[in-house]
Amino acid sequence: MSDSTARPLLWIIVPCYNEEQVLPITAPLFLEKIHALAGAGLISEKSRVCFVNDGSRDRTWELICQFAREDEHYIGISQSRNRGHQNAVLAGLMEARDKCDITISIDCDGQDDINAMDEMVQQYLDGCEVVYGVRSRRDTDTFFKRFTAEGFYHLMNLLGADIVFNHADYRLISARVLESFADYKEVNIFLRGLIPLVGYKSGTVYYARSERLAGESHYPLKKMLALAFDGITSLSNKPIRLITGLGAVFSIVSFIGVIWAFIQAMTGHTVAGWASTVSIVCLMGGIQLICLGVIGEYIGKIYMETKARPRYIISERTWQPYERKYRG
């Protein structure tokens, strides 16, 4: 895969969804970084920037095709429909695993520091198979977003999920790791939790995240909460165990309450009151609904896993635009 000088061949994987405003700004930056790394002797000149169109409804795919016609370092694949950010990244990684030596996944909005790639590649050359890009600070986030994001990472680690704190999806992965990761067949994927499970020697690069260069974020609070819940239920079964423990605690409390009520009735100290009864019924009913919802979420994921539907479908490639669909 790499050239005669044994420099690694790099694919930069860039998921895109309705990014026509920001792509003309960031695409040249990715190309410039390819040339800079190659010029420094860190990667092969044959390295590529691979855009993954995630079923965009604007001109994103047209722009990707235009970039590919203008420069051979640009390539692109398009999914048959929108599958979500995680599946778009997965599609790019699986497309690249037998065509390059290393991949670096990064969002196309320009928020992740592109210059961190230099240290990522250097750590790969020093023996690391995975290098995680980790935010050094969250100054650009609102208090609410910073509090909820950091709380999510703490909660995930508390529940037993091995994820890197303040790491999203900016990372270097070697082809060797991708070959091992291809054996992970989960339909419900949460990459920042699955990649550490593969193992191999890893490193960390810290960087400061900036504001989006153009366009609007496609990850509102609703999607962020959905991703967080998917991550928790995909990587840990501790919520089920917590429900079991909660049920045991309330069963003991209820049993004590029954004994107390029986004693009060036998001694003639019972007092009629609807407030306490209603409060207890509402509390128990709410807890039961929450528990059923969590259990239902796990059952739903089992249902989707048993179907084993394809996680992505590539409908077009810039180098083979009329090729039949490929599944993964």
Side-chain angles (χ1 to χ4, degrees):
M1 289 181 286
S2 54
D3 58 22
S4 59
T5 58
R7 293 181 294 177
L9 198 157
L10 165 69
W11 273 32
I12 300 177
I13 307 299
V14 188
C16 306
Y17 176 65
N18 293 342
E19 301 289 3
E20 65 176 355
Q21 295 184 41
V22 76
L23 269 180
I25 301 174
T26 56
L29 299 179
F30 295 133
L31 181 60
E32 181 181 337
K33 177 52 64 176
I34 287 284
H35 289 316
L37 290 170
L42 295 176
I43 63 172
S44 167
E45 284 284 357
K46 297 179 181 179
S47 297
R48 298 289 185 263
V49 180
C50 178
F51 296 106
V52 183
N53 176 44
D54 187 24
S56 299
R57 295 189 297 269
D58 61 3
R59 297 181 58 252
T60 295
W61 180 241
E62 295 178 32
L63 290 174
I64 293 173
C65 292
Q66 178 183 331
F67 296 150
R69 288 192 297 268
E70 294 174 353
D71 194 301
E72 64 177 2
H73 291 91
Y74 291 122
I75 57 176
I77 59 177
S78 182
Q79 298 204 89
S80 60
R81 68 173 181 85
N82 178 252
R83 293 295 185 112
H85 179 271
Q86 296 293 282
N87 287 290
V89 176
L90 177 68
L93 294 177
M94 293 298 99
E95 182 74 18
R97 63 184 169 125
D98 59 348
K99 301 179 181 66
C100 65
D101 300 299
I102 51 176
T103 64
I104 295 180
S105 57
I106 184 173
D107 290 340
C108 67
D109 53 18
Q111 289 188 279
D112 295 319
D113 184 8
I114 196 172
N115 293 316
M117 292 185 184
D118 299 65
E119 188 176 348
M120 287 182 174
V121 175
Q122 188 59 59
Q123 288 198 26
Y124 166 76
L125 295 174
D126 291 338
C128 289
E129 301 281 357
V130 181
V131 183
Y132 301 102
V134 176
R135 295 180 63 172
S136 57
R137 59 182 186 273
R138 287 185 171 269
D139 298 344
T140 58
D141 290 347
T142 63
F143 170 78
F144 176 76
K145 185 174 181 180
R146 181 169 61 252
F147 176 79
T148 53
E150 293 183 350
F152 164 71
Y153 286 104
H154 288 302
L155 178 62
M156 289 293 289
N157 286 318
L158 182 64
L159 292 176
D162 183 20
I163 64 173
V164 180
F165 188 75
N166 271 341
H167 163 69
D169 288 294
Y170 185 21
R171 69 179 75 85
L172 178 149
I173 308 178
S174 70
R176 181 185 179 193
V177 173
L178 288 178
E179 283 297 329
S180 298
F181 182 66
D183 293 330
Y184 285 68
K185 302 298 184 180
E186 287 97 329
V187 173
N188 301 283
I189 58 172
F190 185 66
L191 292 174
R192 69 189 74 172
L194 288 175
I195 297 298
L197 294 179
V198 182
Y200 294 96
K201 183 179 179 181
S202 64
T204 301
V205 172
Y206 294 92
Y207 69 96
R209 205 163 191 251
S210 57
E211 296 289 344
R212 186 182 177 92
L213 295 182
E216 298 180 354
S217 173
H218 301 298
Y219 252 88
L221 179 62
K222 181 180 178 180
K223 283 191 175 181
M224 290 178 63
L225 290 175
L227 178 64
F229 199 68
D230 281 343
I232 292 173
T233 53
S234 296
L235 296 172
S236 174
N237 63 354
K238 279 195 175 181
I240 295 290
R241 295 179 180 176
L242 290 176
I243 288 175
T244 303
L246 187 64
V249 170
F250 273 89
S251 295
I252 294 173
V253 172
S254 298
F255 181 70
I256 294 174
V258 169
I259 295 176
W260 174 82
F262 178 76
I263 294 174
Q264 291 292 91
M266 293 296 293
T267 57
H269 291 92
T270 54
V271 178
W274 62 270
S276 58
T277 303
V278 171
S279 298
I280 292 173
V281 170
C282 290
L283 175 63
M284 295 303 297
I287 291 175
Q288 287 175 349
L289 289 175
I290 291 174
C291 294
L292 286 174
V294 174
I295 294 172
E297 183 69 22
Y298 277 96
I299 293 174
K301 287 189 179 297
I302 295 172
Y303 175 68
M304 295 305 297
E305 292 291 341
T306 56
K307 285 179 175 293
R309 290 174 176 170
R311 296 170 293 182
Y312 60 87
I313 299 176
I314 298 175
S315 58
E316 292 184 76
R317 293 176 172 83
T318 55
W319 62 93
Q320 291 175 320
Y322 303 109
E323 191 172 353
R324 291 182 180 272
K325 296 179 182 180
Y326 283 77
R327 302 187 176 198

